[in-house]
Amino acid sequence: MFDLYIANKNYSSWSLRPWVLMKALEIPFNEHLMPFEGGFGESYATFTRFSPSGLVPCLVDVENEVAVWDSLAIVEYLAEAHANVWPQEKAARAWARSASAEMHSGFGALRDECSMNCGVRVALNNFSAGLKSNLARLDTLWQEGLERFGGPFLAGEQFTAVDAFYAPVAFRVQTFNLPLSEASLAYVQHLLALPAMDAWYQAALVETWREPMHEQETLKNAALLTDYRAV
């Protein structure tokens, strides 16, 4: 059995990746939600009790006494025992790994200017050159995967790790109403409609924690339109 340690569902994009992958692929795990304690730095002491890096997510293989931290490492660890984590076809698997790694290390402007905050809707005041470039690349990448492998997911008919890596982007598109092509927006809606994604979203809405740093990041270049979260 696995223990998966995550942070607030409303904010934690990194936690969403392994969580939604394991839920969608029906890989059993025990969830341990550890809310951010006033910011990343203040959470460190608590998180180091279960995560060597002091960050989430962290997967603990209880039976083998193995801790795996970082979302990409967790995905690869799961793939050793679950063949459906990555696409079965070699070319699709290579593309999916490349696209996942690109998300893992890139799209800096998208991360910085459109932080994940599931329960709100905002209007951006302006789009930086970096954000425009990131969105253009995102459109190109998604359309390549959808056209090359036939959809409805990025690497073919089945939900795999590459879709999990872009799951937080779907929430960002929804929150910030980001302009993308019709095909990309259809893919976003397909992701948001997944039972696992909806379960995460509904849980995020009922959270009452508010972390000031994340709230400030959301509104640093945007105006709040609607807040659907529980008071």
Side-chain angles (χ1 to χ4, degrees):
M1 177 59 76
F2 295 114
D3 286 342
L4 180 64
Y5 291 86
I6 63 173
N8 314 55
K9 288 180 178 173
N10 186 59
Y11 305 120
S12 188
S13 58
W14 299 94
S15 297
L16 171 59
R17 293 169 175 174
W19 190 97
V20 74
L21 179 69
M22 296 175 80
K23 282 288 186 182
L25 300 187
E26 299 182 344
I27 301 173
F29 67 96
N30 296 314
E31 176 187 313
H32 300 271
L33 198 158
M34 312 294 293
F36 291 116
E37 298 172 353
F40 299 120
E42 295 180 38
S43 300
Y44 181 82
T46 299
F47 288 6
T48 51
R49 298 173 191 169
F50 54 82
S51 171
S53 66
L55 300 171
V56 289
C58 182
L59 183 76
V60 177
D61 183 338
V62 179
E63 181 179 355
N64 295 302
E65 298 182 347
V66 173
V68 188
W69 62 101
D70 186 275
S71 57
L72 186 56
I74 291 171
V75 166
E76 293 293 6
Y77 187 78
L78 293 171
E80 293 178 6
H82 300 274
N84 57 345
V85 165
W86 293 110
Q88 297 299 298
E89 197 271 323
K90 186 175 182 179
R93 189 166 61 252
W95 185 92
R97 279 196 161 111
S98 298
S100 298
E102 182 175 355
M103 181 71 249
H104 191 63
S105 61
F107 295 97
L110 178 62
R111 298 178 195 276
D112 182 59
E113 298 175 41
C114 303
S115 63
M116 193 171 94
N117 195 330
C118 295
V120 301
R121 304 293 182 271
V122 302
L124 280 170
N125 296 325
N126 58 71
F127 288 79
S128 71
L131 181 56
K132 290 178 181 177
S133 177
N134 279 186
L135 293 176
R137 172 55 186 156
L138 189 70
D139 241 340
T140 298
L141 182 67
W142 282 2
Q143 289 184 57
E144 178 188 359
L146 293 168
E147 292 172 6
R148 182 175 174 185
F149 304 111
F153 295 103
L154 288 180
E157 295 182 358
Q158 303 301 319
F159 180 94
T160 62
V162 65
D163 301 292
F165 266 84
Y166 286 91
V169 177
F171 283 128
R172 287 180 163 100
V173 171
Q174 178 174 255
T175 293
F176 291 88
N177 191 28
L178 298 176
L180 293 170
S181 67
E182 184 176 340
S184 292
L185 290 176
Y187 171 65
V188 166
Q189 292 306 312
H190 192 66
L191 281 184
L192 294 174
L194 289 174
M197 286 285 282
D198 185 61
W200 178 280
Y201 179 65
Q202 297 303 325
L205 293 183
V206 300
E207 289 180 349
T208 55
W209 302 296
R210 297 293 182 270
E211 202 289 296
M213 184 180 69
H214 285 90
E215 295 296 311
Q216 291 167 9
E217 285 183 346
T218 302
L219 298 177
K220 67 182 180 182
N221 184 37
L224 179 65
L225 299 176
T226 312
D227 190 336
Y228 293 108
R229 297 173 293 176
V231 177

